[in-house]
C-alpha cells in the first residue's frame, strides 16, 4: 500500500526568489494590523473591561440589533454593548457594573436576565458573568506580560540553541504572526477575551515547533555543504522540510475547521484565531523566517569549530553546536 504524499520527495522550488515581495507584503500587513488596532480597537470581553455579560440565544429568529438595544436600554442598567456571538441567532449583551458591593452586582445581573426574558419570552439566556474593574486591569497586565515573556523566551532559546541570527529571525516571525492575529480581531471585531490570549500563546508555541524544525535542517546543511551559497542552501532546507510543514498544516486545518464548524460558541474566537495562525504560520515557515538569515549574512562560518588549548599543552577542538568535544 502506497503512503499518501502531499509533497513529492524531490521538490526543488525556489522559494527565496519571492523573498523581497513576501517581506514587503508582510511589513505592509503588520503595519495595517497595528493601524487597525489603534483606530478600530479590540472588542474587549468582560474579562478585560469589567462589567456584566450574558449570552442570549433566540430560538425563533433574532430580532434587529437596534430593537434588542432599545429593549435592554429600557431595563434601566445604562447603555449596553451588544455583539453577535458565534451564530446568527445569538448575541452577547454587556453592561457596566453598578455602584456598590457584590450584592448590588448580583441584583443587577438578576434584573438584566429577568428584563431580557420579559422582553423576549422565547429567548434562552445563559449565566451572568461578572468581572470587576480591578480584576480586569490585572488580567490585561498579566496577559500582556505572559505574551511578551513567551516571545522573548523563545527568541533567547533559539539564539542559544543556534546563533543570534536565528534568534532575530524567530523574533521577527513571532511578532509577524501575533500582529496579524491582533489585526484579525480588530477587523472582525470578534470578542477578545482570555480565550484569545490562550490562542495567541498557542500560536507562539506552534510557531516555535515549526521554526526549530526548519532552522535545525538549515544548521545541518550549513555544516554539510560549506561551499554552497546561502540562498540555494536555504531553498534546499525549506524543500527538505516542506512535506512536514504541509502535512502538519493540513492536519491542523482539518481539526480546527471541524471545531470551528461544530464546536461550542464559547470557543469560537479561540478556534478562529488558531486557524488563522496556522495559515500564517505555514506562510512564515517558508517566506518569513528564512529571508532574515540572508540579510544577516548567516553562513558556514557560524558553526566553525573553535580551537582551544588543552591541559597537556596540545590543541583541543570545541564545537559551537551540540556536537561532542574532541
Amino acid at each position: 500500500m502506497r503512503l499518501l504524499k502531499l509533497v513529492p520527495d524531490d521538490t526543488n522550488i525556489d522559494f527565496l526568489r519571492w523573498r523581497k515581495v513576501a517581506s514587503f507584503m508582510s511589513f505592509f500587513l503588520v503595519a495595517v494590523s497595528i493601524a487597525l488596532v489603534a483606530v478600530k480597537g479590540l472588542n474587549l470581553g468582560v474579562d478585560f473591561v469589567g462589567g456584566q455579560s450574558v449570552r442570549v440565544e433566540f430560538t425563533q429568529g433574532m430580532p434587529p440589533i437596534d430593537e434588542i438595544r432599545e429593549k435592554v436600554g429600557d431595563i434601566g442598567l445604562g447603555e449596553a454593548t451588544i455583539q453577535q456571538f458565534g451564530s446568527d441567532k445569538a448575541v452577547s449583551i454587556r453592561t457596566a457594573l453598578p455602584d456598590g458591593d457584590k450584592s448590588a452586582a448580583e441584583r443587577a445581573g438578576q434584573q438584566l436576565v429577568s428584563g431580557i426574558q420579559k422582553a423576549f419570552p422565547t429567548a434562552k439566556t445563559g449565566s451572568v458573568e461578572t468581572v470587576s474593574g480591578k480584576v480586569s486591569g490585572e488580567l490585561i497586565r498579566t496577559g500582556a506580560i505572559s505574551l511578551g515573556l513567551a516571545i522573548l523566551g523563545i527568541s533567547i532559546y533559539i539564539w542559544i540553541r543556534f546563533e543570534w541570527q536565528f534568534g532575530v529571525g524567530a523574533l521577527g516571525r513571532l511578532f509577524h504572526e501575533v500582529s496579524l492575529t491582533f489585526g484579525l480581531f480588530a477587523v472582525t471585531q470578534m470578542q477578545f477575551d482570555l480565550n484569545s490570549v490562550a490562542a495567541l500563546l498557542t500560536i507562539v508555541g506552534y510557531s516555535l515547533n515549526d521554526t526549530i524544525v526548519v532552522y535545525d535542517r538549515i544548521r545541518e546543511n550549513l555544516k554539510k555543504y560549506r561551499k554552497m551559497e546561502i540562498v540555494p542552501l536555504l531553498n534546499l532546507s525549506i524543500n527538505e522540510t516542506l512535506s512536514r510543514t504541509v502535512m502538519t498544516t493540513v492536519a491542523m486545518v482539518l481539526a480546527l475547521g471541524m471545531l470551528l464548524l461544530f464546536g461550542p460558541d464559547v470557543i469560537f474566537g479561540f478556534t478562529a484565531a488558531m486557524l488563522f495562525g496556522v495559515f500564517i504560520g505555514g506562510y512564515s515557515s517558508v517566506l518569513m523566517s528564512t529571508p532574515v538569515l540572508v540579510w544577516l549574512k548567516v553562513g558556514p562560518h557560524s558553526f566553525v569549530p573553535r580551537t582551544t588549548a588543552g591541559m597537556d599543552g596540545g590543541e583541543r577542538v570545541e564545537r559551537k553546536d551540540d556536537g561532542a568535544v574532541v
Side-chain angles (χ1 to χ4, degrees):
M1 181 179 178
R2 297 182 60 184
L3 297 177
L4 174 64
K5 289 187 177 182
L6 298 180
V7 179
D9 293 330
D10 56 347
T11 55
N12 186 24
I13 303 173
D14 187 5
F15 289 106
L16 292 186
R17 174 185 178 183
W18 303 292
R19 64 183 183 273
K20 293 182 180 179
V21 175
S23 299
F24 173 79
M25 185 172 64
S26 295
F27 287 130
F28 175 75
L29 290 176
V30 168
V32 170
S33 297
I34 294 174
L36 284 171
V37 173
V39 174
K40 295 190 65 174
L42 299 174
N43 177 29
L44 297 176
V46 67
D47 297 328
F48 293 135
V49 298
Q52 293 181 309
S53 176
V54 61
R55 181 176 180 274
V56 182
E57 183 176 356
F58 298 92
T59 57
Q60 297 182 2
M62 190 176 73
I65 295 294
D66 291 338
E67 180 182 345
I68 300 174
R69 184 175 287 108
E70 180 182 354
K71 297 289 186 181
V72 174
D74 294 339
I75 298 176
L77 295 176
E79 185 178 355
T81 300
I82 301 174
Q83 179 75 24
Q84 194 164 344
F85 189 84
S87 67
D88 57 355
K89 293 184 178 180
V91 294
S92 173
I93 300 175
R94 187 172 68 233
T95 59
L97 278 174
D99 297 328
D101 54 8
K102 184 178 179 180
S103 59
E106 292 177 351
R107 289 194 298 271
Q110 294 173 358
Q111 181 181 351
L112 177 62
V113 172
S114 60
I116 293 172
Q117 292 175 342
K118 182 178 179 181
F120 306 101
T122 60
K124 296 181 180 179
T125 57
S127 58
V128 178
E129 299 178 3
T130 303
V131 178
S132 68
K134 181 179 179 180
V135 172
S136 64
E138 293 176 352
L139 290 175
I140 291 176
R141 285 194 300 273
T142 55
I145 291 172
S146 299
L147 186 59
L149 289 178
I151 294 176
L152 181 62
I154 287 171
S155 300
I156 293 175
Y157 166 76
I158 294 180
W159 187 326
I160 296 173
R161 182 73 171 78
F162 298 95
E163 287 293 322
W164 69 268
Q165 296 99 326
F166 292 85
V168 173
L171 183 62
R173 171 180 177 167
L174 294 177
F175 180 77
H176 170 258
E177 294 180 13
V178 171
S179 298
L180 293 188
T181 306
F182 271 115
L184 173 70
F185 278 100
V187 74
T188 61
Q189 286 297 293
M190 287 189 300
Q191 192 173 89
F192 189 86
D193 51 19
L194 286 180
N195 286 337
S196 307
V197 175
L200 288 172
L201 292 173
T202 308
I203 291 171
V204 168
Y206 174 82
S207 298
L208 167 65
N209 180 59
D210 210 30
T211 300
I212 288 180
V213 170
V214 177
Y215 279 179
D216 193 58
R217 183 56 60 91
I218 293 173
R219 183 179 63 169
E220 290 178 3
N221 287 336
L222 281 170
K223 293 184 291 184
K224 185 177 180 182
Y225 305 104
R226 291 187 174 276
K227 295 183 179 181
M228 184 181 291
E229 294 293 331
I230 186 61
V231 172
L233 188 142
L234 293 178
N235 274 321
L236 173 65
S237 303
I238 295 171
N239 279 279
E240 288 178 346
T241 57
L242 186 62
S243 176
R244 183 262 175 201
T245 300
V246 171
M247 289 295 293
T248 304
T249 301
V250 170
M252 290 289 291
V253 167
L254 290 176
L256 291 170
M258 293 300 102
L259 196 59
L260 188 71
L261 293 175
F262 305 109
D265 293 335
V266 70
I267 60 170
F268 180 84
F270 172 88
T271 310
M274 277 294 302
L275 186 60
F276 180 77
V278 168
F279 275 117
I280 297 299
Y283 159 79
S284 298
S285 295
V286 176
L287 293 172
M288 187 62 196
S289 57
T290 50
V292 177
L293 303 180
V294 179
W295 299 323
L296 296 179
K297 301 185 185 305
V298 70
H301 62 275
S302 303
F303 300 98
V304 174
R306 296 179 305 187
T307 303
T308 59
M311 295 294 293
D312 56 355
E315 290 189 341
R316 182 178 63 184
V317 176
E318 292 181 356
R319 302 191 66 90
K320 285 184 67 176
D321 54 290
D322 295 335
V325 176
V326 180

